[in-house]
Amino acid sequence: MEDKLKIYYRRGTEELKRDNIRAHKLTQEFNNTDVEEFGKKEDIIRKLFGSVGGNPSIEHNFHCDLGYNIHVGENFYAGYNCTILDMAEVIVGNNCMIGPNVGIYTAGHSTEPKDRNKSGYAQPIKIGNDVWIGGSCTILPGVTINDNSIIAAGSVVIKDVPSNVIMAGNPAKKLKNI
């Protein structure tokens, strides 16, 4: 299998700090918005994300690194406490549902202790159309989850997921075809 693109970044650069502060301010504003201010919440998400389809819905306590690397399609839903570490692109298709307490992490660090705190790497994550990610799942760097698949609650996805399957466990394995 071909090694997926890794984007390397240095922690603490002024540009990264600026972009991270921008995202944190917007997520703070989003998370402090009244639950009935749907239009305001959507406006903030449209400022924060790189692109957003129609009818997005994200519950409170959302967090991300940069925001502009997140691209979501039509009818995107994310439950409470969703965290997306978007040091690389996260592309989500149409009609996707993400349960509560899900972590989508493009970022990683060196396994060498002397280098671990200085820099990191990121690999894009792609999630196809009509995907359902159950509560408390973790999606790791470089993963592609293809169309119509379900990731069962509590799963840790470490490798690509084919279309039309249910995956479960740690690490996630195919449970059955849909």
PDB file of all heavy atoms in Angstrom, residues 35-67:
ATOM      1  N   VAL A  35     -28.510  27.730  22.526  1.00  0.00           N
ATOM      2  CA  VAL A  35     -28.883  26.551  21.746  1.00  0.00           C
ATOM      3  C   VAL A  35     -29.964  26.836  20.712  1.00  0.00           C
ATOM      4  O   VAL A  35     -30.076  26.114  19.726  1.00  0.00           O
ATOM      5  CB  VAL A  35     -29.326  25.375  22.655  1.00  0.00           C
ATOM      6  CG1 VAL A  35     -28.182  24.904  23.513  1.00  0.00           C
ATOM      7  CG2 VAL A  35     -30.527  25.746  23.509  1.00  0.00           C
ATOM      8  N   GLU A  36     -30.750  27.892  20.905  1.00  0.00           N
ATOM      9  CA  GLU A  36     -31.818  28.211  19.959  1.00  0.00           C
ATOM     10  C   GLU A  36     -31.389  29.185  18.869  1.00  0.00           C
ATOM     11  O   GLU A  36     -32.177  29.498  17.975  1.00  0.00           O
ATOM     12  CB  GLU A  36     -33.028  28.763  20.713  1.00  0.00           C
ATOM     13  CG  GLU A  36     -33.686  27.725  21.594  1.00  0.00           C
ATOM     14  CD  GLU A  36     -34.917  28.250  22.312  1.00  0.00           C
ATOM     15  OE1 GLU A  36     -35.195  29.470  22.228  1.00  0.00           O
ATOM     16  OE2 GLU A  36     -35.590  27.436  22.946  1.00  0.00           O
ATOM     17  N   GLU A  37     -30.145  29.635  18.890  1.00  0.00           N
ATOM     18  CA  GLU A  37     -29.649  30.565  17.868  1.00  0.00           C
ATOM     19  C   GLU A  37     -29.023  29.784  16.715  1.00  0.00           C
ATOM     20  O   GLU A  37     -27.825  29.851  16.452  1.00  0.00           O
ATOM     21  CB  GLU A  37     -28.647  31.542  18.471  1.00  0.00           C
ATOM     22  CG  GLU A  37     -29.279  32.504  19.456  1.00  0.00           C
ATOM     23  CD  GLU A  37     -28.280  33.527  19.953  1.00  0.00           C
ATOM     24  OE1 GLU A  37     -28.114  34.559  19.274  1.00  0.00           O
ATOM     25  OE2 GLU A  37     -27.676  33.287  21.011  1.00  0.00           O
ATOM     26  N   PHE A  38     -29.877  29.057  15.997  1.00  0.00           N
ATOM     27  CA  PHE A  38     -29.414  28.161  14.939  1.00  0.00           C
ATOM     28  C   PHE A  38     -28.675  28.908  13.827  1.00  0.00           C
ATOM     29  O   PHE A  38     -27.637  28.454  13.348  1.00  0.00           O
ATOM     30  CB  PHE A  38     -30.589  27.369  14.360  1.00  0.00           C
ATOM     31  CG  PHE A  38     -31.329  26.571  15.401  1.00  0.00           C
ATOM     32  CD1 PHE A  38     -32.621  26.931  15.770  1.00  0.00           C
ATOM     33  CD2 PHE A  38     -30.744  25.471  16.010  1.00  0.00           C
ATOM     34  CE1 PHE A  38     -33.312  26.203  16.733  1.00  0.00           C
ATOM     35  CE2 PHE A  38     -31.421  24.744  16.970  1.00  0.00           C
ATOM     36  CZ  PHE A  38     -32.711  25.106  17.334  1.00  0.00           C
ATOM     37  N   GLY A  39     -29.211  30.048  13.417  1.00  0.00           N
ATOM     38  CA  GLY A  39     -28.582  30.832  12.356  1.00  0.00           C
ATOM     39  C   GLY A  39     -27.206  31.329  12.746  1.00  0.00           C
ATOM     40  O   GLY A  39     -26.267  31.277  11.951  1.00  0.00           O
ATOM     41  N   LYS A  40     -27.064  31.805  13.975  1.00  0.00           N
ATOM     42  CA  LYS A  40     -25.775  32.296  14.453  1.00  0.00           C
ATOM     43  C   LYS A  40     -24.758  31.159  14.522  1.00  0.00           C
ATOM     44  O   LYS A  40     -23.601  31.316  14.114  1.00  0.00           O
ATOM     45  CB  LYS A  40     -25.923  32.955  15.826  1.00  0.00           C
ATOM     46  CG  LYS A  40     -24.632  33.547  16.350  1.00  0.00           C
ATOM     47  CD  LYS A  40     -24.826  34.275  17.665  1.00  0.00           C
ATOM     48  CE  LYS A  40     -23.500  34.833  18.153  1.00  0.00           C
ATOM     49  NZ  LYS A  40     -23.634  35.515  19.443  1.00  0.00           N
ATOM     50  N   LYS A  41     -25.201  29.999  15.027  1.00  0.00           N
ATOM     51  CA  LYS A  41     -24.305  28.842  15.099  1.00  0.00           C
ATOM     52  C   LYS A  41     -23.817  28.442  13.701  1.00  0.00           C
ATOM     53  O   LYS A  41     -22.631  28.179  13.494  1.00  0.00           O
ATOM     54  CB  LYS A  41     -25.005  27.671  15.786  1.00  0.00           C
ATOM     55  CG  LYS A  41     -25.191  27.863  17.285  1.00  0.00           C
ATOM     56  CD  LYS A  41     -26.103  26.841  17.923  1.00  0.00           C
ATOM     57  CE  LYS A  41     -25.645  25.442  17.751  1.00  0.00           C
ATOM     58  NZ  LYS A  41     -26.474  24.442  18.455  1.00  0.00           N
ATOM     59  N   GLU A  42     -24.743  28.420  12.735  1.00  0.00           N
ATOM     60  CA  GLU A  42     -24.355  28.057  11.372  1.00  0.00           C
ATOM     61  C   GLU A  42     -23.395  29.083  10.782  1.00  0.00           C
ATOM     62  O   GLU A  42     -22.423  28.724  10.106  1.00  0.00           O
ATOM     63  CB  GLU A  42     -25.594  27.908  10.482  1.00  0.00           C
ATOM     64  CG  GLU A  42     -25.233  27.458   9.086  1.00  0.00           C
ATOM     65  CD  GLU A  42     -26.425  27.150   8.204  1.00  0.00           C
ATOM     66  OE1 GLU A  42     -27.510  26.796   8.728  1.00  0.00           O
ATOM     67  OE2 GLU A  42     -26.259  27.255   6.972  1.00  0.00           O
ATOM     68  N   ASP A  43     -23.634  30.373  11.028  1.00  0.00           N
ATOM     69  CA  ASP A  43     -22.731  31.421  10.531  1.00  0.00           C
ATOM     70  C   ASP A  43     -21.316  31.236  11.069  1.00  0.00           C
ATOM     71  O   ASP A  43     -20.334  31.394  10.336  1.00  0.00           O
ATOM     72  CB  ASP A  43     -23.244  32.810  10.920  1.00  0.00           C
ATOM     73  CG  ASP A  43     -24.484  33.235  10.148  1.00  0.00           C
ATOM     74  OD1 ASP A  43     -24.812  32.599   9.110  1.00  0.00           O
ATOM     75  OD2 ASP A  43     -25.140  34.207  10.590  1.00  0.00           O
ATOM     76  N   ILE A  44     -21.196  30.901  12.340  1.00  0.00           N
ATOM     77  CA  ILE A  44     -19.871  30.697  12.942  1.00  0.00           C
ATOM     78  C   ILE A  44     -19.173  29.502  12.293  1.00  0.00           C
ATOM     79  O   ILE A  44     -17.988  29.577  11.953  1.00  0.00           O
ATOM     80  CB  ILE A  44     -19.986  30.515  14.470  1.00  0.00           C
ATOM     81  CG1 ILE A  44     -20.510  31.792  15.119  1.00  0.00           C
ATOM     82  CG2 ILE A  44     -18.626  30.121  15.067  1.00  0.00           C
ATOM     83  CD1 ILE A  44     -20.968  31.619  16.561  1.00  0.00           C
ATOM     84  N   ILE A  45     -19.910  28.409  12.104  1.00  0.00           N
ATOM     85  CA  ILE A  45     -19.320  27.220  11.468  1.00  0.00           C
ATOM     86  C   ILE A  45     -18.874  27.548  10.041  1.00  0.00           C
ATOM     87  O   ILE A  45     -17.819  27.106   9.594  1.00  0.00           O
ATOM     88  CB  ILE A  45     -20.313  26.036  11.499  1.00  0.00           C
ATOM     89  CG1 ILE A  45     -20.471  25.526  12.938  1.00  0.00           C
ATOM     90  CG2 ILE A  45     -19.882  24.905  10.569  1.00  0.00           C
ATOM     91  CD1 ILE A  45     -19.171  25.101  13.625  1.00  0.00           C
ATOM     92  N   ARG A  46     -19.641  28.330   9.331  1.00  0.00           N
ATOM     93  CA  ARG A  46     -19.260  28.716   7.965  1.00  0.00           C
ATOM     94  C   ARG A  46     -18.003  29.596   7.959  1.00  0.00           C
ATOM     95  O   ARG A  46     -17.213  29.537   7.013  1.00  0.00           O
ATOM     96  CB  ARG A  46     -20.420  29.395   7.249  1.00  0.00           C
ATOM     97  CG  ARG A  46     -21.528  28.412   6.929  1.00  0.00           C
ATOM     98  CD  ARG A  46     -22.604  28.979   6.025  1.00  0.00           C
ATOM     99  NE  ARG A  46     -23.652  28.002   5.803  1.00  0.00           N
ATOM    100  CZ  ARG A  46     -23.569  26.972   4.963  1.00  0.00           C
ATOM    101  NH1 ARG A  46     -22.479  26.809   4.244  1.00  0.00           N
ATOM    102  NH2 ARG A  46     -24.566  26.118   4.839  1.00  0.00           N
ATOM    103  N   LYS A  47     -17.793  30.411   8.985  1.00  0.00           N
ATOM    104  CA  LYS A  47     -16.549  31.190   9.113  1.00  0.00           C
ATOM    105  C   LYS A  47     -15.375  30.291   9.476  1.00  0.00           C
ATOM    106  O   LYS A  47     -14.255  30.508   9.032  1.00  0.00           O
ATOM    107  CB  LYS A  47     -16.699  32.260  10.201  1.00  0.00           C
ATOM    108  CG  LYS A  47     -17.521  33.434   9.835  1.00  0.00           C
ATOM    109  CD  LYS A  47     -17.559  34.415  11.007  1.00  0.00           C
ATOM    110  CE  LYS A  47     -18.707  35.375  10.880  1.00  0.00           C
ATOM    111  NZ  LYS A  47     -18.925  36.151  12.098  1.00  0.00           N
ATOM    112  N   LEU A  48     -15.640  29.303  10.318  1.00  0.00           N
ATOM    113  CA  LEU A  48     -14.590  28.442  10.861  1.00  0.00           C
ATOM    114  C   LEU A  48     -14.102  27.408   9.856  1.00  0.00           C
ATOM    115  O   LEU A  48     -12.894  27.245   9.648  1.00  0.00           O
ATOM    116  CB  LEU A  48     -15.113  27.748  12.124  1.00  0.00           C
ATOM    117  CG  LEU A  48     -14.183  26.771  12.834  1.00  0.00           C
ATOM    118  CD1 LEU A  48     -12.927  27.485  13.342  1.00  0.00           C
ATOM    119  CD2 LEU A  48     -14.929  26.117  14.001  1.00  0.00           C
ATOM    120  N   PHE A  49     -15.021  26.696   9.218  1.00  0.00           N
ATOM    121  CA  PHE A  49     -14.665  25.584   8.322  1.00  0.00           C
ATOM    122  C   PHE A  49     -14.229  26.087   6.956  1.00  0.00           C
ATOM    123  O   PHE A  49     -14.614  27.166   6.518  1.00  0.00           O
ATOM    124  CB  PHE A  49     -15.851  24.644   8.145  1.00  0.00           C
ATOM    125  CG  PHE A  49     -16.171  23.780   9.335  1.00  0.00           C
ATOM    126  CD1 PHE A  49     -15.555  23.937  10.567  1.00  0.00           C
ATOM    127  CD2 PHE A  49     -17.121  22.780   9.227  1.00  0.00           C
ATOM    128  CE1 PHE A  49     -15.864  23.133  11.647  1.00  0.00           C
ATOM    129  CE2 PHE A  49     -17.451  21.958  10.292  1.00  0.00           C
ATOM    130  CZ  PHE A  49     -16.824  22.132  11.505  1.00  0.00           C
ATOM    131  N   GLY A  50     -13.478  25.247   6.248  1.00  0.00           N
ATOM    132  CA  GLY A  50     -13.064  25.562   4.885  1.00  0.00           C
ATOM    133  C   GLY A  50     -14.228  25.584   3.925  1.00  0.00           C
ATOM    134  O   GLY A  50     -14.306  26.437   3.042  1.00  0.00           O
ATOM    135  N   SER A  51     -15.163  24.631   4.070  1.00  0.00           N
ATOM    136  CA  SER A  51     -16.382  24.624   3.272  1.00  0.00           C
ATOM    137  C   SER A  51     -17.457  23.827   4.002  1.00  0.00           C
ATOM    138  O   SER A  51     -17.156  22.891   4.743  1.00  0.00           O
ATOM    139  CB  SER A  51     -16.137  24.046   1.872  1.00  0.00           C
ATOM    140  OG  SER A  51     -15.686  22.718   1.930  1.00  0.00           O
ATOM    141  N   VAL A  52     -18.710  24.242   3.779  1.00  0.00           N
ATOM    142  CA  VAL A  52     -19.852  23.649   4.477  1.00  0.00           C
ATOM    143  C   VAL A  52     -21.018  23.542   3.504  1.00  0.00           C
ATOM    144  O   VAL A  52     -21.396  24.535   2.883  1.00  0.00           O
ATOM    145  CB  VAL A  52     -20.282  24.520   5.683  1.00  0.00           C
ATOM    146  CG1 VAL A  52     -21.469  23.900   6.414  1.00  0.00           C
ATOM    147  CG2 VAL A  52     -19.127  24.757   6.638  1.00  0.00           C
ATOM    148  N   GLY A  53     -21.596  22.343   3.391  1.00  0.00           N
ATOM    149  CA  GLY A  53     -22.799  22.166   2.582  1.00  0.00           C
ATOM    150  C   GLY A  53     -24.014  22.699   3.325  1.00  0.00           C
ATOM    151  O   GLY A  53     -23.902  23.288   4.398  1.00  0.00           O
ATOM    152  N   GLY A  54     -25.182  22.448   2.765  1.00  0.00           N
ATOM    153  CA  GLY A  54     -26.413  22.914   3.379  1.00  0.00           C
ATOM    154  C   GLY A  54     -26.813  22.098   4.594  1.00  0.00           C
ATOM    155  O   GLY A  54     -26.450  20.934   4.723  1.00  0.00           O
ATOM    156  N   ASN A  55     -27.500  22.750   5.505  1.00  0.00           N
ATOM    157  CA  ASN A  55     -28.104  22.111   6.667  1.00  0.00           C
ATOM    158  C   ASN A  55     -27.104  21.456   7.642  1.00  0.00           C
ATOM    159  O   ASN A  55     -27.300  20.320   8.068  1.00  0.00           O
ATOM    160  CB  ASN A  55     -29.144  21.078   6.192  1.00  0.00           C
ATOM    161  CG  ASN A  55     -30.089  20.680   7.287  1.00  0.00           C
ATOM    162  OD1 ASN A  55     -30.436  21.478   8.150  1.00  0.00           O
ATOM    163  ND2 ASN A  55     -30.489  19.424   7.268  1.00  0.00           N
ATOM    164  N   PRO A  56     -26.038  22.160   8.036  1.00  0.00           N
ATOM    165  CA  PRO A  56     -25.129  21.577   9.024  1.00  0.00           C
ATOM    166  C   PRO A  56     -25.711  21.670  10.433  1.00  0.00           C
ATOM    167  O   PRO A  56     -26.455  22.601  10.740  1.00  0.00           O
ATOM    168  CB  PRO A  56     -23.882  22.466   8.917  1.00  0.00           C
ATOM    169  CG  PRO A  56     -24.445  23.807   8.540  1.00  0.00           C
ATOM    170  CD  PRO A  56     -25.621  23.505   7.637  1.00  0.00           C
ATOM    171  N   SER A  57     -25.383  20.708  11.264  1.00  0.00           N
ATOM    172  CA  SER A  57     -25.830  20.725  12.659  1.00  0.00           C
ATOM    173  C   SER A  57     -24.714  20.163  13.535  1.00  0.00           C
ATOM    174  O   SER A  57     -24.324  18.997  13.379  1.00  0.00           O
ATOM    175  CB  SER A  57     -27.099  19.882  12.812  1.00  0.00           C
ATOM    176  OG  SER A  57     -27.526  19.902  14.156  1.00  0.00           O
ATOM    177  N   ILE A  58     -24.223  20.992  14.427  1.00  0.00           N
ATOM    178  CA  ILE A  58     -23.137  20.592  15.328  1.00  0.00           C
ATOM    179  C   ILE A  58     -23.554  20.965  16.743  1.00  0.00           C
ATOM    180  O   ILE A  58     -23.935  22.113  17.000  1.00  0.00           O
ATOM    181  CB  ILE A  58     -21.805  21.274  14.956  1.00  0.00           C
ATOM    182  CG1 ILE A  58     -21.413  20.895  13.524  1.00  0.00           C
ATOM    183  CG2 ILE A  58     -20.701  20.900  15.942  1.00  0.00           C
ATOM    184  CD1 ILE A  58     -20.234  21.666  12.985  1.00  0.00           C
ATOM    185  N   GLU A  59     -23.478  20.006  17.634  1.00  0.00           N
ATOM    186  CA  GLU A  59     -23.849  20.246  19.027  1.00  0.00           C
ATOM    187  C   GLU A  59     -22.729  20.988  19.757  1.00  0.00           C
ATOM    188  O   GLU A  59     -21.597  21.061  19.281  1.00  0.00           O
ATOM    189  CB  GLU A  59     -24.151  18.921  19.730  1.00  0.00           C
ATOM    190  CG  GLU A  59     -25.249  18.104  19.079  1.00  0.00           C
ATOM    191  CD  GLU A  59     -26.633  18.727  19.140  1.00  0.00           C
ATOM    192  OE1 GLU A  59     -26.830  19.752  19.843  1.00  0.00           O
ATOM    193  OE2 GLU A  59     -27.533  18.198  18.471  1.00  0.00           O
ATOM    194  N   HIS A  60     -23.050  21.481  20.937  1.00  0.00           N
ATOM    195  CA  HIS A  60     -22.088  22.243  21.740  1.00  0.00           C
ATOM    196  C   HIS A  60     -20.880  21.401  22.170  1.00  0.00           C
ATOM    197  O   HIS A  60     -20.924  20.183  22.161  1.00  0.00           O
ATOM    198  CB  HIS A  60     -22.782  22.816  22.980  1.00  0.00           C
ATOM    199  CG  HIS A  60     -23.559  24.045  22.663  1.00  0.00           C
ATOM    200  ND1 HIS A  60     -24.798  24.009  22.093  1.00  0.00           N
ATOM    201  CD2 HIS A  60     -23.250  25.360  22.807  1.00  0.00           C
ATOM    202  CE1 HIS A  60     -25.241  25.238  21.909  1.00  0.00           C
ATOM    203  NE2 HIS A  60     -24.333  26.076  22.340  1.00  0.00           N
ATOM    204  N   ASN A  61     -19.873  22.132  22.570  1.00  0.00           N
ATOM    205  CA  ASN A  61     -18.577  21.622  23.006  1.00  0.00           C
ATOM    206  C   ASN A  61     -17.808  21.009  21.847  1.00  0.00           C
ATOM    207  O   ASN A  61     -17.223  19.945  21.957  1.00  0.00           O
ATOM    208  CB  ASN A  61     -18.689  20.663  24.187  1.00  0.00           C
ATOM    209  CG  ASN A  61     -17.415  20.659  25.001  1.00  0.00           C
ATOM    210  OD1 ASN A  61     -16.661  21.634  24.992  1.00  0.00           O
ATOM    211  ND2 ASN A  61     -17.155  19.580  25.687  1.00  0.00           N
ATOM    212  N   PHE A  62     -17.812  21.729  20.721  1.00  0.00           N
ATOM    213  CA  PHE A  62     -17.040  21.350  19.547  1.00  0.00           C
ATOM    214  C   PHE A  62     -15.654  21.991  19.644  1.00  0.00           C
ATOM    215  O   PHE A  62     -15.528  23.127  20.097  1.00  0.00           O
ATOM    216  CB  PHE A  62     -17.735  21.831  18.264  1.00  0.00           C
ATOM    217  CG  PHE A  62     -16.902  21.614  17.042  1.00  0.00           C
ATOM    218  CD1 PHE A  62     -16.853  20.358  16.457  1.00  0.00           C
ATOM    219  CD2 PHE A  62     -16.142  22.625  16.503  1.00  0.00           C
ATOM    220  CE1 PHE A  62     -16.057  20.135  15.334  1.00  0.00           C
ATOM    221  CE2 PHE A  62     -15.350  22.421  15.387  1.00  0.00           C
ATOM    222  CZ  PHE A  62     -15.303  21.165  14.801  1.00  0.00           C
ATOM    223  N   HIS A  63     -14.615  21.258  19.205  1.00  0.00           N
ATOM    224  CA  HIS A  63     -13.249  21.795  19.210  1.00  0.00           C
ATOM    225  C   HIS A  63     -12.501  21.363  17.955  1.00  0.00           C
ATOM    226  O   HIS A  63     -12.754  20.279  17.425  1.00  0.00           O
ATOM    227  CB  HIS A  63     -12.481  21.322  20.448  1.00  0.00           C
ATOM    228  CG  HIS A  63     -13.091  21.805  21.720  1.00  0.00           C
ATOM    229  ND1 HIS A  63     -12.911  23.078  22.202  1.00  0.00           N
ATOM    230  CD2 HIS A  63     -13.917  21.204  22.593  1.00  0.00           C
ATOM    231  CE1 HIS A  63     -13.588  23.233  23.326  1.00  0.00           C
ATOM    232  NE2 HIS A  63     -14.227  22.104  23.580  1.00  0.00           N
ATOM    233  N   CYS A  64     -11.578  22.226  17.508  1.00  0.00           N
ATOM    234  CA  CYS A  64     -10.711  21.891  16.374  1.00  0.00           C
ATOM    235  C   CYS A  64      -9.406  22.677  16.496  1.00  0.00           C
ATOM    236  O   CYS A  64      -9.294  23.584  17.312  1.00  0.00           O
ATOM    237  CB  CYS A  64     -11.407  22.181  15.048  1.00  0.00           C
ATOM    238  SG  CYS A  64     -11.775  23.924  14.750  1.00  0.00           S
ATOM    239  N   ASP A  65      -8.429  22.301  15.659  1.00  0.00           N
ATOM    240  CA  ASP A  65      -7.137  22.992  15.652  1.00  0.00           C
ATOM    241  C   ASP A  65      -7.181  24.286  14.843  1.00  0.00           C
ATOM    242  O   ASP A  65      -6.778  25.337  15.313  1.00  0.00           O
ATOM    243  CB  ASP A  65      -6.048  22.108  15.032  1.00  0.00           C
ATOM    244  CG  ASP A  65      -5.471  21.106  15.985  1.00  0.00           C
ATOM    245  OD1 ASP A  65      -5.422  21.384  17.193  1.00  0.00           O
ATOM    246  OD2 ASP A  65      -5.052  20.030  15.524  1.00  0.00           O
ATOM    247  N   LEU A  66      -7.594  24.172  13.580  1.00  0.00           N
ATOM    248  CA  LEU A  66      -7.515  25.290  12.655  1.00  0.00           C
ATOM    249  C   LEU A  66      -8.857  25.635  12.021  1.00  0.00           C
ATOM    250  O   LEU A  66      -9.104  26.783  11.682  1.00  0.00           O
ATOM    251  CB  LEU A  66      -6.504  24.972  11.535  1.00  0.00           C
ATOM    252  CG  LEU A  66      -5.094  24.630  12.025  1.00  0.00           C
ATOM    253  CD1 LEU A  66      -4.232  24.116  10.879  1.00  0.00           C
ATOM    254  CD2 LEU A  66      -4.443  25.829  12.696  1.00  0.00           C
ATOM    255  N   GLY A  67      -9.696  24.657  11.813  1.00  0.00           N
ATOM    256  CA  GLY A  67     -11.020  24.877  11.242  1.00  0.00           C
ATOM    257  C   GLY A  67     -11.036  24.907   9.733  1.00  0.00           C
ATOM    258  O   GLY A  67     -11.833  24.226   9.094  1.00  0.00           O
TER     259      GLY A  67
END
